[in-house]
């Protein structure tokens, strides 16, 4: 055998026996089940296939609350993931846990990864930005409440346009009832839609200190006259069928799916579920109503959903991969695909523009309602978002108190007074934990 042949054989054997370079593995804990979880897995797989250095490993950890609780416990046990998805009501708690998080703006600076906060929608980033304008987490699945309506039932009742104001909600609902519909409208996530977004839409503060953005020593204000009048009006409507309460979170959706209620206030991310459950029916999407006795022009609604937080205490190699992944995740193509598949907002301006260019909104009328509602005006102090500690507990308190109103057991004023008192106790508890 020639020297050349021996050399070639040695090289071949070396290539055959050498271990392949192991990718740096990066855990991403999330709360996306079902079809959304499959989409998360696809995003991770596509990123993993796009390069050879890093492997994102998505891990489903249950509900939003369970995922956040798991992340806190894992940090204490020093086995935290690199990335965790946290719902918007956990933002203040994450910001307060300074030792546990690696702010996104610092991550991108440290890894020299190109990053322009201005490329994201300001109505989205405002929720996840510090008081001095620094992005603390990466927006991922952002939604906002909209009004869905059954066009078939509207046509039968002789109604041509969806209601824009709360006055029109009453008029339209009564016409629907007169035509034989059992219920005018229902609502999901009542604290989010009927307190938090009622405040934002009508440019009302729901708490002091710039809705909590200017400090943990904030106190709630949603027992003031406009909120009380709104909730009392809904209580009165519930007696006649104009409004029907269907339960917490998204439990009211079957009332809309079965056509018992002709309208529902639900997350923009509910669009896919409505299409799936109401095949063959003509469903419209309109902006959330506003109170024209309070404002002439409504402000933007505020977001729900979640963002991605980076946990501290991981190796630099993982952080380099997280930064690359965040750049990939924010690309117009990935964001546009996520938006179109799920109903969540496109969190970058470029993704919105790409979706327009692709003709998605022409093929899916109403799919752009949420983003138009979020971007037609500059956010005000009252509509840029909320920043409250222990806010998950406060939302549960609001649910409890409002349910007593719908059951006729207490007045709107008593319910909101109780909710504010109990909610303020949660704020003080959180404030003490930060000292």
């Amino acid at each position: 055998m020639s020297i050349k042949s021996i050399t070639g054989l040695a090289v071949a054997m070396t290539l055959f026996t050498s271990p392949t370079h192991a990718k740096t593995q990066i855990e991403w804990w999330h709360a996306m089940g079902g079809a959304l979880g499959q989409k998360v897995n696809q995003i991770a797989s596509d990123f993993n296939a796009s390069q050879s250095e890093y492997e994102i490993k998505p891990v489903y950890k249950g509900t939003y609350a369970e995922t956040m609780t798991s992340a806190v416990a894992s940090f204490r046990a020093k086995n935290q993931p690199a990335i965790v998805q946290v719902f918007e009501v956990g933002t203040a708690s994450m910001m307060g846990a300074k030792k546990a998080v690696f702010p996104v703006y610092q991550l991108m600076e440290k890894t020299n990864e190109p990053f322009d906060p201005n490329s994201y929608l300001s109505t989205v980033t405002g929720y996840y930005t510090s008081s001095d304008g620094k992005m603390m987490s990466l927006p991922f699945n952002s939604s906002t409440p909209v009004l869905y309506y059954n066009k078939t039932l509207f046509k039968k009742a002789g109604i041509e346009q969806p209601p824009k104001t709360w006055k029109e909600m009453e008029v339209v609902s009564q016409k629907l009832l007169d035509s034989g519909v059992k219920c005018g409208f229902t609502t999901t996530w009542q604290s989010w839609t009927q307190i938090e977004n009622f405040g934002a839409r009508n440019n009302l503060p729901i708490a002091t200190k710039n809705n909590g953005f200017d400090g943990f020593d904030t106190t709630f204000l949603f027992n003031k006259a406009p909120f009380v009048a709104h909730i009392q009006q809904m209580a009165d409507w519930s007696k006649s069928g104009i409004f029907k309460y269907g339960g917490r979170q998204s439990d009211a959706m079957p009332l809309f799916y079965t056509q018992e209620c002709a309208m529902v206030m639900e997350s923009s991310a509910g669009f896919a579920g409505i299409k799936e459950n109401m095949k063959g029916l003509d469903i419209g999407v309109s902006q959330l109503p506003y109170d024209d006795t309070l404002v002439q022009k409504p402000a933007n609604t505020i977001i729900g959903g979640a963002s991605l937080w980076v946990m501290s205490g991981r190796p630099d190699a993982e952080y380099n991969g997280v930064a690359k992944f965040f750049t990939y995740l924010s690309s117009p193509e990935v964001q546009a695909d996520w938006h179109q598949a799920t109903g969540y907002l496109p969190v970058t301006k470029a993704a919105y523009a790409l979706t327009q260019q692709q003709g998605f909104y022409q093929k899916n009328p109403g799919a752009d309602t949420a983003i138009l509602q979020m971007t037609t005006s500059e956010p005000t102090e009252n509509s840029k978002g909320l920043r409250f500690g222990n806010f998950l507990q406060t939302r549960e308190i609001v649910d409890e108190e409002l349910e007593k109103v719908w059951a006729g057991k207490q007045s709107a004023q008593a319910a909101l007074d109780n909710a504010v008192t109990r909610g303020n106790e949660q704020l003080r508890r959180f404030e003490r934990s930060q000292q």
Side-chain angles (χ1 to χ4, degrees):
M1 187 180 285
S2 68
I3 295 292
K4 188 174 181 182
S5 298
I6 293 170
T7 304
L9 181 62
V11 170
M13 289 180 67
T14 301
L15 289 172
F16 183 74
T17 57
S18 293
T20 55
H21 174 66
K23 287 187 174 186
T24 299
Q25 296 194 341
I26 299 163
E27 278 201 356
W28 170 17
W29 288 8
H30 67 87
M32 305 265 88
L36 290 173
Q38 292 172 17
K39 194 67 182 172
V40 163
N41 290 339
Q42 182 198 325
I43 289 171
S45 296
D46 290 347
F47 170 75
N48 295 341
S50 73
Q51 43 71 51
S52 58
E53 289 187 69
Y54 309 103
E55 182 180 1
I56 298 291
K57 298 187 70 176
V59 181
Y60 174 64
K61 300 298 285 188
T63 65
Y64 280 137
E66 289 166 347
T67 302
M68 186 172 171
T69 301
S70 296
V72 171
S74 71
F75 182 76
R76 289 174 180 153
K78 298 184 178 178
N79 62 353
Q80 68 272 25
I83 308 168
V84 61
Q85 181 190 27
V86 178
F87 56 167
E88 91 284 10
V89 296
T91 300
S93 297
M94 294 300 287
M95 286 188 174
K98 293 179 181 176
K99 291 181 180 178
V101 302
F102 189 176
V104 163
Y105 78 93
Q106 289 182 2
L107 168 80
M108 302 309 254
E109 284 177 9
K110 180 179 179 179
T111 57
N112 294 315
E113 192 69 19
F115 180 63
D116 179 13
N118 293 323
S119 66
Y120 299 83
L121 300 178
S122 60
T123 42
V124 173
T125 55
Y127 218 112
Y128 304 119
T129 300
S130 64
S131 55
D132 58 352
K134 305 288 189 182
M135 272 180 68
M136 303 295 289
S137 60
L138 187 81
F140 176 50
N141 57 305
S142 295
S143 58
T144 200
V146 292
L147 179 70
Y148 296 99
Y149 62 100
N150 188 317
K151 287 186 176 181
T152 304
L153 296 180
F154 268 51
K155 189 175 181 180
K156 182 183 173 186
I159 304 164
E160 295 182 359
Q161 296 293 330
K164 293 181 179 178
T165 67
W166 279 103
K167 281 181 188 172
E168 290 175 6
M169 282 291 290
E170 180 175 27
V171 172
V172 166
S173 292
Q174 190 58 56
K175 284 184 179 178
L176 288 161
L177 295 179
D178 292 344
S179 73
V181 176
K182 291 181 180 178
C183 147
F185 77 94
T186 187
T187 186
T188 63
W189 300 95
Q190 55 186 344
S191 176
W192 187 44
T193 55
Q194 306 307 326
I195 300 293
E196 300 158 41
N197 271 288
F198 181 84
R201 197 79 170 130
N202 297 293
N203 201 21
L204 300 167
I206 77 161
T208 60
K209 291 278 182 174
N210 195 10
N211 276 345
F213 273 78
D214 292 343
F216 294 138
D217 55 336
T218 178
T219 54
F220 288 120
L221 298 171
F222 58 81
N223 60 341
K224 300 299 182 185
F227 295 95
V228 173
H230 174 59
I231 296 302
Q232 190 59 55
Q233 178 73 86
M234 288 182 66
D236 294 342
W237 284 340
S238 69
K239 295 170 186 173
S240 64
I242 286 175
F243 163 66
K244 183 172 182 177
Y245 178 60
R248 300 185 183 186
Q249 300 183 8
S250 292
D251 289 352
M253 288 310 294
L255 293 175
F256 186 66
Y257 294 156
T258 60
Q259 303 189 74
E260 182 174 341
C261 294
M263 295 180 282
V264 63
M265 290 173 214
E266 159 69 328
S267 166
S268 56
F271 197 53
I274 287 172
K275 285 195 291 185
E276 178 64 28
N277 284 279
M278 305 182 78
K279 288 176 180 175
L281 292 172
D282 196 4
I283 304 302
V285 191
S286 185
Q287 295 192 21
L288 214 61
Y290 64 96
D291 188 334
D292 60 352
T293 68
L294 297 172
V295 289
Q296 289 185 317
K297 182 184 177 186
N300 60 282
T301 47
I302 53 178
I303 61 169
S307 65
L308 302 183
W309 288 81
V310 183
M311 304 292 283
S312 62
R314 301 304 308 176
D316 283 347
E318 289 188 24
Y319 289 137
N320 290 334
V322 171
K324 296 284 186 191
F325 177 57
F326 280 5
T327 296
Y328 174 84
L329 196 58
S330 300
S331 67
E333 295 77 14
V334 173
Q335 271 300 312
D337 178 64
W338 171 252
H339 161 56
Q340 293 172 31
T342 65
Y344 283 110
L345 297 166
V347 299
T348 66
K349 298 166 188 173
Y352 177 44
L354 178 59
T355 302
Q356 286 176 306
Q357 290 165 17
Q358 291 171 340
F360 180 76
Y361 301 128
Q362 286 181 314
K363 297 171 192 168
N364 297 272
D368 60 344
T369 299
I371 195 163
L372 292 172
Q373 181 175 265
M374 292 286 287
T375 57
T376 47
S377 59
E378 280 297 309
T380 70
E381 282 194 352
N382 300 320
S383 71
K384 77 173 184 178
L386 313 170
R387 183 75 43 83
F388 307 125
N390 291 348
F391 197 41
L392 176 62
Q393 292 90 326
T394 298
R395 276 188 171 175
E396 290 173 350
I397 288 166
V398 170
D399 279 337
E400 290 172 10
E401 297 297 342
L402 289 183
E403 283 170 349
K404 294 174 187 174
V405 177
W406 313 142
K409 294 180 179 177
Q410 69 179 356
S411 67
Q413 185 71 67
L416 295 184
D417 283 345
N418 290 341
V420 163
T421 298
R422 296 173 65 193
N424 285 339
E425 290 170 0
Q426 292 295 330
L427 290 174
R428 300 293 74 79
R429 187 173 299 170
F430 180 76
E431 187 181 5
R432 287 193 296 271
S433 74
Q434 301 303 306
Q435 293 170 354

